[in-house]
Amino acid sequence: MKHTDFYALHKKLDEQARNELVAAIKAHGGEYIFIHENEDGDYNNEEKNNAPIIAASTRYMDGYEDFYVVRVAIEDDWLQIYGFPKDDWYAEAELTSVAHGHLEYIIDMIPETENVQDVTIASKS
């Protein structure tokens, strides 16, 4: 049956969220860390409990699972998202695919700066 191309709409929304996330990261100097490591290489438990959780995957995974987002950065003009699985506790990995609508969870958890309080980009119809 004919219907709206929802996949195209999701892709458009994901691109807008990606652009707004990049703006939020740039407002913090190009990187925002949600979960810091101490000198022993252990992650801060309190920060872990307050970090965003998104459905994502690494390049080696067949499907999505829940990840704590450790940090986000702009590296070589490219958005990089790093995290570790919610059910496991090991070193961070680069997240190469994020479920539709989950980038906003990251933006929600990045605080305003003195100079940037809003990263909304007007949608082009």
Side-chain angles (χ1 to χ4, degrees):
M1 181 175 298
K2 188 174 182 173
H3 65 85
T4 300
D5 183 358
F6 292 107
Y7 181 75
L9 292 173
H10 284 296
K11 294 299 281 182
K12 184 177 177 182
L13 287 171
D14 286 343
E15 182 63 27
Q16 182 167 347
R18 181 172 298 282
N19 291 336
E20 291 184 13
L21 178 54
V22 166
I25 296 166
K26 287 181 177 179
H28 285 272
E31 180 178 47
Y32 189 80
I33 300 171
F34 291 100
I35 308 172
H36 293 83
E37 287 184 70
N38 64 22
E39 58 278 349
D40 296 326
D42 296 324
Y43 290 107
N44 180 304
N45 255 345
E46 186 174 326
E47 288 179 338
K48 183 189 98 169
N49 293 333
N50 293 314
I53 298 171
I54 60 171
S57 65
T58 68
R59 75 182 75 169
Y60 305 108
M61 297 172 63
D62 292 329
Y64 292 135
E65 66 180 74
D66 289 341
F67 277 83
Y68 286 105
V69 176
V70 174
R71 63 186 179 95
V72 289
I74 306 301
E75 298 172 358
D76 298 323
D77 293 323
W78 193 255
L79 174 63
Q80 303 291 310
I81 303 171
Y82 299 93
F84 54 82
K86 186 178 175 196
D87 294 333
D88 293 324
W89 188 261
Y90 58 88
E92 69 182 42
E94 180 182 354
L95 305 180
T96 56
S97 184
V98 176
H100 295 298
H102 282 235
L103 292 176
E104 297 95 287
Y105 299 140
I106 302 171
I107 300 168
D108 288 340
M109 302 297 288
I110 296 176
E112 299 175 349
T113 67
E114 186 175 316
N115 295 325
V116 180
Q117 296 81 40
D118 186 347
V119 293
T120 303
I121 297 171
S123 174
K124 298 174 190 168
S125 297

